[in-house]
Amino acid sequence: MDMDGDWPLPRPRTRFRIDRRRSDASLTSKTSIASTFSSLAMPVVIEAVQRTKALSSGVDPEAFHQLRVAFRKLRALYWAYSPWLGEEATAQASEEFKRLAAVAGGTRDWDIAGDLLETAQKSDASIELLVTAAREKRAQAVAHSQAMIKSEAVEAFLNDAVLRAQTTLQSRCSDLPIRAFARQRVRMAQRTLRKRSRRAARSEAGHEESLHDVRKAGKKLRYLLEFFQPVIKGDHDRTIKELTSVQKTLGEFNDIAASETLIRNTTFDEVPADVVEKSLQWLEERKCQRIDVASRRVRAISG
């Protein structure tokens, strides 16, 4: 879990001017590396802030999920620009994005586990006790997320982080065009995905973790293609579509594996141990089914 991140959320000394245009409207192959950063980052920042504000009064499962996605996209973008931002600045911002995503993700994790348990309940009515307990855990996760993610603090942090990054980039690469740089970072993400896919394809021990690594690498590549598609040559819609499909397959497996771990590591005072065990057995059976499907998809892309 990434719940122990403690990098502070500073209120910016200088307010960053938000460009509300679509990111692809201002991107061309001759645009500089520095100027593209805010064009790409700010739409994601705006979305994250809007969703954070909505969480103060709402408990929509999709809102928590999309907030987590927004923070993941920002991590991918900071990774892309890390050669110019510097290792320390990238690591600081990325760790806070990761922490915030984890806090938002707690509710989403219980949503997924609850849905799976409701399916398991159809074959064993006694699991209803665990379904009810999971709903209570979900409510606790909502309260935790709302307490830990304050929209004012998140907005201040994100604006400050982008301002700092923009200032750094303007001082280091304000005249360098984006195309070659973007293509190089996309190629690096592609190599990482290929390497992890091949490792997972031949892996036996720790196979679940290998599949998870492939999933993370695939997400990073897809986000970068979506960010940089306006400035890199070629039609990447097909690649994005294929990555999305692979992510869906790996995500279905990961949902089951993560739910199993979540339930196994949680104490349910009002649920008999045998009921918890039956739910874990059901999840284990489904996980074994899904891991074969996920493994075949990974082998297919590893070449």
Side-chain angles (χ1 to χ4, degrees), residues 9-11 150-158:
L9 301 178
R11 185 168 296 279
K150 299 296 186 182
S151 61
E152 296 85 359
V154 170
E155 183 174 12
F157 159 65
L158 291 176

Side-chain angles (χ1 to χ4, degrees), residues 56 65 178 280:
S56 62
H65 173 60
I178 185 64
L280 291 172

Side-chain angles (χ1 to χ4, degrees), residues 284-295:
E284 180 68 26
E285 291 172 1
R286 297 305 182 278
K287 186 174 71 173
C288 290
Q289 295 171 2
R290 297 307 308 177
I291 198 171
D292 290 337
V293 177
S295 296

Side-chain angles (χ1 to χ4, degrees), residues 2 7 9 37 40-55 62-80 90-106 108 145-146 148-159 161-162 216 219-220 223-224 227:
D2 302 299
W7 196 47
L9 301 178
F37 179 82
L40 295 172
M42 289 315 301
V44 187
V45 168
I46 292 168
E47 179 184 3
V49 170
Q50 290 174 340
R51 293 193 180 279
T52 302
K53 290 178 178 178
L55 292 185
E62 187 63 18
F64 284 98
H65 173 60
Q66 292 302 326
L67 180 58
R68 180 162 61 174
V69 169
F71 289 129
R72 287 172 174 171
K73 286 182 178 180
L74 288 172
R75 285 183 67 196
L77 189 63
Y78 267 70
W79 175 86
T90 301
Q92 283 187 330
S94 296
E95 280 303 308
E96 186 60 19
F97 296 146
K98 187 176 181 180
R99 187 190 71 84
L100 290 168
V103 175
R108 176 66 174 173
S145 295
Q146 291 174 333
M148 296 293 291
I149 302 180
K150 299 296 186 182
S151 61
E152 296 85 359
V154 170
E155 183 174 12
F157 159 65
L158 291 176
N159 278 294
V162 174
K216 289 189 293 184
K219 283 183 179 181
K220 178 186 287 184
Y223 295 152
L224 293 189
F227 278 130

Side-chain angles (χ1 to χ4, degrees), residues 249-267:
T249 301
L250 292 174
E252 289 170 350
F253 164 73
N254 184 73
D255 286 349
I256 298 172
S259 294
E260 180 189 23
T261 300
L262 182 63
I263 292 169
R264 193 180 297 279
N265 293 338
T266 301
T267 300

Side-chain angles (χ1 to χ4, degrees), residues 182-223:
R183 292 179 67 184
Q184 189 270 336
R185 299 305 283 168
V186 166
R187 283 196 299 267
M188 182 169 290
Q190 287 172 327
R191 287 196 294 269
T192 299
L193 175 60
R194 190 177 302 114
K195 181 179 179 180
R196 292 186 178 184
S197 298
R198 290 173 176 172
R199 182 186 303 154
R202 61 176 183 266
S203 174
E204 294 182 4
H207 191 42
E208 289 184 27
E209 188 63 30
S210 296
L211 291 176
H212 186 52
D213 287 342
V214 172
R215 182 168 174 259
K216 289 189 293 184
K219 283 183 179 181
K220 178 186 287 184
L221 175 57
R222 177 163 63 88
Y223 295 152

